[in-house]
Amino acid sequence: MKRRMTAIRGALAGSLCLAGISGLAGCQAAPAGNVNVPSAIQVTNVEDQVISVTAKEEVKVVPDMAELNLSVTSQAADAEACQEANSQAVNQVAEALKGQGIEETSIQTSDYSLYPIYDWENGQTITGYTMDTTITVSDVAIDAVGNVLTAAVDAGVNNIQSVNYMSSQYDESYKQALEMAVQSAYDKANAMAIAGGCSLGEIVKIEERGTNTSARYTAISNMSVEEDGALAAPAAGASVMPGQVSVEADILVEYAVNR
């Protein structure tokens, strides 16, 4: 009985083997002309067929307003006396600024600091105190900057930290800089396209990059004006040369490529 079963199993295995070989032979015998296999496969991503360029342009504009950052430093033997002296000096400066036509809303005090003065040679002994107060004066007409600085120093300001110039024409100048940047971007992209043997298509992306609007203001809240509407003629004051401020536009542009 065992011998008979072994013979049957051998016969079945042989049949399956022959069937498998026959199936493989059938696959190999399929007509080759029905399958078109290219020698190379190229995947095309239309989104990547662009020329990307950046452009930055600037327009110079004459400022007509300024922001002043001033500070008053006071010293005294004790902290309370130092604070009183500093407060008195700051009030004097504020009154002097108002006397120059500066509105109270354009005067801001900030960055108060009070710290001891040490004598390091005698065992870190405190010999007095120093107090600083920063005064920011905004909306100062450009013709009045020199007089305002002189009046502030005469009243007690002992540190002029910065004078920041601004322009009411910032927005108009920025639009002009943007137009120039777009043209510059096109010129660069077109040169790249010609060099690469193709041509530019439509703009597929345009992006405004970092902007700096520190030289911008939109309203004049403090202009000392005579009855006839003309600016008051400035008296002799600190020498101020505002020159020009720079308005910059920085963009990224991507153009489609025509092959």
Side-chain angles (χ1 to χ4, degrees):
M1 184 66 180
K2 290 183 178 179
R3 291 180 179 177
R4 184 178 179 184
M5 292 298 296
T6 301
I8 292 172
R9 289 174 182 171
L12 288 173
S15 298
L16 291 173
C17 184
L18 290 172
I21 294 172
S22 176
L24 289 174
C27 290
Q28 292 175 352
N34 294 339
V35 180
N36 184 15
V37 179
S39 59
I41 300 176
Q42 181 177 0
V43 178
T44 302
N45 187 347
V46 176
E47 294 181 356
D48 291 337
Q49 293 185 357
V50 298
I51 292 179
S52 178
V53 294
T54 60
K56 180 185 292 185
E57 294 293 336
E58 67 175 2
V59 173
K60 297 289 187 179
V61 59
V62 177
D64 48 11
M65 295 288 276
E67 180 182 84
L68 315 179
N69 291 304
L70 317 171
S71 67
V72 175
T73 302
S74 305
Q75 291 185 351
D78 61 82
E80 183 178 357
C82 184
Q83 184 178 12
E84 290 179 359
N86 191 263
S87 296
Q88 183 178 358
V90 169
N91 291 335
Q92 289 176 353
V93 171
E95 292 302 318
L97 292 173
K98 293 175 186 178
Q100 292 294 315
I102 305 296
E103 298 291 337
E104 187 172 352
T105 54
S106 296
I107 304 172
Q108 182 184 47
T109 55
S110 61
D111 295 338
Y112 303 95
S113 64
L114 176 67
Y115 48 91
I117 302 172
Y118 291 99
D119 182 359
W120 296 99
E121 294 182 356
N122 295 304
Q124 196 176 340
T125 304
I126 296 177
T127 60
Y129 289 84
T130 296
M131 183 171 184
D132 290 327
T133 300
T134 298
I135 304 172
T136 300
V137 188
S138 57
D139 302 331
V140 181
I142 205 70
D143 291 339
V145 172
N147 295 333
V148 171
L149 289 174
T150 298
V153 171
D154 291 342
V157 165
N158 43 28
N159 186 5
I160 300 175
Q161 297 178 355
S162 65
V163 178
N164 303 315
Y165 298 109
M166 294 174 287
S167 172
S168 59
Q169 301 300 311
Y170 181 93
D171 290 344
E172 181 181 344
S173 300
Y174 184 64
K175 291 177 183 178
Q176 182 181 353
L178 280 174
E179 293 174 358
M180 294 167 57
V182 170
Q183 182 61 49
S184 177
Y186 171 80
D187 292 340
K188 291 197 292 184
N190 191 47
M192 294 168 65
I194 293 173
C198 55
S199 62
L200 290 184
E202 298 294 327
I203 292 177
V204 298
K205 178 181 179 181
I206 185 166
E207 177 183 317
E208 179 189 34
R209 305 176 78 188
T211 59
N212 181 8
T213 60
S214 60
R216 175 181 182 270
Y217 78 93
T218 57
I220 299 177
S221 62
N222 174 54
M223 293 288 280
S224 180
V225 180
E226 298 287 1
E227 293 182 359
D228 61 357
L231 287 174
S239 177
V240 176
M241 301 177 66
Q244 295 178 317
V245 294
S246 178
V247 181
E248 293 186 350
D250 187 3
I251 63 172
L252 166 70
V253 186
E254 291 184 354
Y255 292 88
V257 176
N258 295 329
R259 298 287 181 180

